[in-house]
Amino acid sequence: MSKKNYDNHNRWRNKTVAFRVSSEEDLQLETMVKLTGLTKQDYIIRRLLERDVVVQGNPRVYKALRDQLAAVLDELRRIEARQGVNDELLDTIQMIAIIMNGMQEDFAYDR
């Protein structure tokens, strides 16, 4: 028998919610989850319930930011070669900007 899954308020999560996404939506969801450092379950629940998604800096988040910034740079080079901009790229750039702004605020408070 598997271990029971509890939330932060010690409530047992025993209900399953499932839905289908396209491969593009899955890729975008995976990107956002990696950038936040949360589990996919926690990220989806917070977004569905319109709660704030607070990113806690750690090595995994740093690596995800680095990898996503490299991917954004590749996309910007592709765009420079006269190809179009897609909405997923703009969403990723916006999420990175929000995270980086939060990191700057945390740094300012450390002083």
Side-chain angles (χ1 to χ4, degrees):
M1 190 166 148
S2 63
K3 179 183 169 190
K4 290 185 178 182
N5 190 6
Y6 290 94
D7 69 0
N8 291 339
H9 300 285
N10 206 27
R11 295 177 295 211
W12 181 33
R13 288 181 170 165
N14 61 341
K15 300 291 183 184
T16 300
V17 177
F19 53 93
R20 296 182 186 275
V21 295
S22 68
S23 58
E24 295 85 5
E25 290 168 330
D26 181 55
L27 181 62
Q28 190 173 12
L29 178 60
E30 289 292 336
T31 299
M32 298 302 168
V33 168
K34 286 179 185 174
L35 288 173
T36 62
L38 297 171
T39 64
K40 187 184 284 188
Q41 174 177 303
D42 286 336
Y43 178 79
I44 291 172
I45 290 171
R46 287 182 188 190
R47 295 293 297 181
L48 286 174
L49 298 178
E50 296 181 355
R51 295 182 188 149
D52 290 336
V53 175
V54 179
V55 177
Q56 296 295 324
N58 61 45
R60 278 192 350 222
V61 171
Y62 170 77
K63 184 177 183 284
L65 278 170
R66 184 193 65 205
D67 293 346
Q68 284 304 311
L69 284 171
V72 166
L73 180 59
D74 290 342
E75 284 293 310
L76 291 174
R77 287 182 178 139
R78 182 186 61 80
I79 292 166
E80 189 177 44
R82 306 284 188 249
Q83 297 177 7
V85 178
N86 60 34
D87 291 338
E88 289 83 10
L89 174 64
L90 296 176
D91 290 342
T92 301
I93 291 171
Q94 182 179 14
M95 181 69 158
I96 291 171
I98 290 168
I99 292 169
M100 297 301 287
N101 283 337
M103 291 172 72
Q104 287 177 339
E105 288 175 12
D106 287 346
F107 180 72
Y109 293 128
D110 288 342
R111 292 182 183 179

